[in-house]
Amino acid sequence: MFEFYQEDIQELNGYLHAFPQAEDIFVAEQPWLKEHFLPLVSIDLAVLNPDWAGQTVHMLSPFEPSEGYIGDGTEPYHNEFTAPNWLAFRLTDDNRYQFLDNEGFFMRSPVNRNNPQNYYDEEYADELRAHYQTSKQNVEQYGCLLDAHYPEYQGSFNRKNFLDDIGGGFWYGNWTEGADIPSAFALNLQPAGTKLADLDNLPDDGIEITYNGNPFHYIANVAGYNYCGGGADAIILMYEPVSRTVLFTFDYS
């Protein structure tokens, strides 16, 4: 793995492209994906590993949840690639996302409209969408991402990060133990029995995630509210290059 790490990225550069069009990053066979995600920024993976040149992944912020975890209450529609707080895509040869489950995973999907556990408030989705559009306009006008609620602070731009970090390896957080990973994948804390206080002294904080024995690599994270005025404290994107699987989970403080 090529060593690369940056944090608090507030300027776009050659490997980041903000606000990609949904039609350009989701497969045509799953047009409903644009109803469940806001595309934040595309990342050229060559910046992390020259062997990944030509492969581009996309940071997404889901509309769900307004409370709890994404995937809560839709378990009958889950498969081996999805679980509460976890979801996966296959990266196609033309760098589009193919969701590795069906639309029923999302509480906002038509099949769940009469779900007795459907708690989702569409006003929340409207608010996220409105803040997202404002953020997009700010980047087009000013070249920077501004706080959706308070774009100015003491007379200056209140800038937000396009990415909170990229590279550098996994970090231990609530996401590692808040919900079980989907059955297709394996998550291990290495070595077993290590005290939490000692994890940050280990590579990847002692975290190993694999699919068919092949390791996932940590790519990046960003707070959903940087773009949308709400969402997860950290949207965590990871990649397994052999199968071209992109895995997402979400951290909440």
Side-chain angles (χ1 to χ4, degrees), residues 227-245:
Y227 292 79
C228 309
D233 295 308
I235 304 166
I236 300 166
L237 187 162
M238 57 200 87
Y239 183 58
E240 192 280 283
V242 176
S243 64
R244 294 174 66 100
T245 301

Side-chain angles (χ1 to χ4, degrees), residues 21-42:
Q21 294 294 314
E23 293 77 10
D24 296 332
I25 68 169
F26 296 131
V27 295
E29 296 78 11
Q30 296 175 328
W32 39 265
L33 284 171
K34 66 179 180 294
E35 304 299 329
H36 302 291
F37 295 99
L38 292 167
L40 306 183
V41 63
S42 296

Side-chain angles (χ1 to χ4, degrees), residues 18-22 25-26 32-42 58-64 70 89 97 106 108 120 124-136 222-225 227-231 235 248 250:
F19 301 102
Q21 294 294 314
I25 68 169
F26 296 131
W32 39 265
L33 284 171
K34 66 179 180 294
E35 304 299 329
H36 302 291
F37 295 99
L38 292 167
L40 306 183
V41 63
S42 296
H58 316 286
M59 184 67 78
L60 307 175
S61 186
F63 285 104
E64 300 175 35
I70 191 170
F89 296 89
Y97 278 176
F106 303 99
R108 296 179 69 243
Y120 194 81
Y124 180 68
D126 292 340
E127 291 173 2
L128 294 179
R129 191 181 289 109
H131 288 311
Y132 175 85
Q133 291 300 326
T134 297
S135 293
K136 184 176 180 180
V222 71
Y225 47 75
Y227 292 79
C228 309
I235 304 166
F248 281 92
F250 309 90

